[in-house]
Amino acid sequence: MSAVISFPRYVRIGAGAIRELADVLEGLKLGRPLLVTDAYLTATGAAERVLNLLSQAGMSVALFDRTVPDPTTASLEDGLEAVRAHGADCVIGFGGGSPMDSAKALAVLAHQGGPMRKFKAPSNYAGPALPVVAIPTTAGSGSEATQFTVISDSETNEKMLCPGLSFLPVAAIVDFELTMSMPPRLTADTGVDALTHAVEAYVSRKANPISDTFALSAIRLIAGNIKRAYRDGSDPGAREAMMVAATQAGMAFSNSSVALVHGMSRPIGAHFHVAHGLSNAMLFPAVTEFSVDGAEGRYADCARAYGTVDIQASDSVAARALVEALAQLCSELEVPTPRSYGIDRQAWDSLTPLMAQQALASGSPANNPVVPTAEQIEAIYARVYG
């Protein structure tokens, strides 16, 4: 079976790339953008800088800055009104994964209407939508390069994976200078998120030669730079490497898939409001240990790219060394367990069966090297609680 490969039409990448935003929009014959961001980026003046860049180019621009972490169907309602009130011909997602995912959802809803749940997997939407331009300010989600958005259903608390080419940004502006102010915790969580994307894309049952190339490159970059960026956020070399790696990892999993880590991570975020990157990090070592026997050679390749073993190591030794390296990385980055994060044990245990069912329903676990049962997912949840 052939692989279908899709990327944004335009990607501007490098220091100062944000200054080329107006050129990108003009090249796409767009002139009425809605900037979709969050209150933090408005408060810091970053959103105003983007607005000014577009206004100075003669564009009519409006701002919607009420996106929320882990966007919900309810949080999209005001954004949809803003799209229509402005008569926007495109949306710009500016921020971390949540503003970018919000922008993608608004682009589709503006043409199609709701409810958002009709776009969740296994649906795959490739119909009319407003063009999306994505500008990441964190190095992790890779949403600037993916054909997915993740939105939580406000009625059910289900975190819905919504796939399809209509969610793929037409353009991305990848400027690492926008990440220089990220605090250590966010740097760690988004960095592990990107590493999870890369590893899962490579071991996925949907992996292909194109996604493999991006995944292994991302793993190498992250291995050499995540600790540097965590310890010294002012290190431009580390910041640039992590930004490039996050986009590569996004390109990898968008054209392959994520797997069990992400399937189990989304319910944690939906029910306990844990940031997506952090919930991935909580699960990553344990899920990798569960999965490693299903694709020993693929995990061994990841270990060699990560640099945890030399090229002569056997696949068995290398694959298990990767598990140890991930556990050590999460320890050094001070990734909390659900328990130390403050999640109540009784609440965790009572929701575990539902979370397992929601993980399976997302479809991501079916891409895993070892396809789990609900009971096995529940056992992993119990193990990682702490």
Side-chain angles (χ1 to χ4, degrees), residues 3-377:
V4 179
I5 306 299
S6 303
F7 300 115
R9 190 181 308 171
Y10 301 106
V11 178
R12 300 286 180 98
I13 187 165
I18 187 68
R19 294 191 291 272
E20 301 172 25
L21 174 60
D23 291 341
V24 170
L25 291 182
E26 288 171 352
L28 292 166
K29 308 301 183 186
L30 300 170
R32 293 189 64 83
L34 176 73
L35 184 65
V36 177
T37 188
D38 56 35
Y40 173 78
L41 288 170
T42 296
T44 64
E48 185 67 22
R49 178 187 175 197
V50 176
L51 294 172
N52 288 338
L53 285 170
L54 297 174
S55 296
Q56 289 166 10
M59 296 184 181
S60 176
V61 60
L63 173 69
F64 176 72
D65 65 356
R66 297 195 298 279
T67 66
V68 298
D70 293 322
T72 65
T73 52
S75 75
L76 297 174
E77 293 174 3
D78 288 344
L80 193 55
E81 287 186 15
V83 172
R84 291 168 174 163
H86 182 54
D89 62 3
C90 62
V91 288
I92 300 172
F94 179 55
S98 295
M100 289 189 286
D101 278 4
S102 296
K104 292 178 177 186
L106 292 174
V108 168
L109 292 173
H111 261 281
Q112 293 300 111
M116 194 69 204
R117 69 175 66 90
K118 74 183 180 183
F119 301 106
K120 75 174 185 176
S123 172
N124 193 293
Y125 181 67
L130 291 177
V132 177
V133 177
I135 309 173
T137 62
T138 63
S141 76
S143 188
E144 68 274 9
T146 74
Q147 51 189 309
F148 306 107
T149 189
V150 179
I151 305 293
S152 293
D153 189 317
S154 298
E155 295 179 5
T156 66
N157 277 336
E158 178 186 3
K159 205 166 186 179
M160 303 180 294
L161 174 67
C162 303
L165 284 176
S166 298
F167 296 107
L168 179 68
V170 68
I173 305 292
V174 184
D175 186 341
F176 76 88
E177 291 182 340
L178 298 173
T179 71
M180 297 297 289
S181 62
M182 287 171 61
R185 180 74 267 143
L186 184 59
T187 298
D189 296 344
T190 55
V192 175
D193 189 22
L195 182 59
T196 309
H197 293 154
V199 171
E200 290 208 305
Y202 191 79
V203 304
S204 166
R205 292 168 179 262
K206 295 182 178 179
N208 58 75
I210 301 301
S211 62
D212 285 354
T213 300
F214 284 109
L216 292 176
S217 179
I219 291 168
R220 292 187 190 99
L221 283 173
I222 294 167
N225 293 280
I226 187 170
K227 294 176 188 176
R228 285 174 54 195
Y230 176 66
R231 293 167 183 157
D232 180 8
S234 65
D235 183 333
R239 288 297 196 192
E240 182 172 22
M242 290 301 297
M243 193 66 148
V244 171
T247 299
Q248 288 180 331
M251 290 176 169
F253 86 81
S254 181
N255 290 288
S256 172
S257 70
V258 288
L260 182 55
V261 174
H262 278 73
M264 293 181 63
S265 172
R266 295 186 200 103
I268 295 174
H271 293 287
F272 298 105
H273 308 293
V274 179
H276 173 69
L278 179 54
S279 57
N280 275 346
M282 290 173 172
L283 293 161
F284 198 13
V287 171
T288 303
E289 184 174 10
F290 168 81
S291 307
V292 74
D293 288 337
E296 195 173 71
R298 304 290 282 182
Y299 281 109
D301 289 343
C302 294
R304 295 181 186 109
Y306 192 85
T308 194
V309 293
D310 61 40
I311 197 69
Q312 287 79 27
S314 70
D315 284 354
S316 178
V317 168
R320 281 150 189 81
L322 179 66
V323 176
E324 295 174 7
L326 295 179
Q328 179 63 30
L329 175 66
C330 289
S331 176
E332 291 186 41
L333 298 181
E334 301 179 280
V335 174
T337 63
R339 178 182 180 180
S340 64
Y341 186 76
I343 296 174
D344 177 72
R345 181 61 187 256
Q346 184 175 355
W348 180 268
D349 289 346
S350 67
L351 282 168
T352 287
L354 175 59
M355 292 197 298
Q357 291 300 326
Q358 289 176 334
L360 288 171
S362 74
S364 297
N367 304 319
N368 205 56
V370 177
V371 178
T373 64
E375 291 74 19
Q376 288 171 318
I377 292 176

